[in-house]
Amino acid sequence: MLFSAETLESEIRKLRGLLQMLHEDQPDVMEDVFEFHVTSLITHAAPEHHPRIRAAAHEMLTAIQRQPVRPNPNAPDIRLMPDLLVATAA
């Protein structure tokens, strides 16, 4: 199923929000999530939209990565087994 132009624009905006959230909370997975979502968008878009999707997505990723990460001391610790990671690092 191919996305309409309106749906495609909406999905690109959603990707921006997701990347912003990941940049602040989980920067280590941001690029993997980015690649997954861009590939998904491309597979659901007509071939003539592929270059525009790639260009917009990479511009978005670069812009978000340039932004400073604002520390949030109230953010939950969502790492898997953080105590085990600390124990193995010591």
Side-chain angles (χ1 to χ4, degrees), residues 15-16 24 26 29 38-39 44 47 49 55-56 71 73 77 81 83 90:
L15 178 59
R16 177 178 284 285
E24 295 176 4
Q26 292 182 288
V29 299
V38 170
T39 300
H44 290 90
H49 295 295
D77 184 2
M81 301 184 293
D83 295 334

Side-chain angles (χ1 to χ4, degrees), residues 12 15-16 34 38 42 49-63:
I12 291 172
L15 178 59
R16 177 178 284 285
F34 169 81
V38 170
I42 288 172
H49 295 295
H50 294 184
R52 188 178 61 80
I53 292 169
R54 287 184 207 280
H58 283 286
E59 181 181 306
M60 170 189 321
L61 178 65
T62 302

Side-chain angles (χ1 to χ4, degrees), residues 13-31:
R13 283 192 301 276
K14 289 178 192 175
L15 178 59
R16 177 178 284 285
L18 176 62
L19 290 176
Q20 184 66 49
M21 181 183 69
L22 289 173
H23 177 65
E24 295 176 4
D25 297 331
Q26 292 182 288
D28 55 321
V29 299
M30 187 170 81
E31 289 191 33

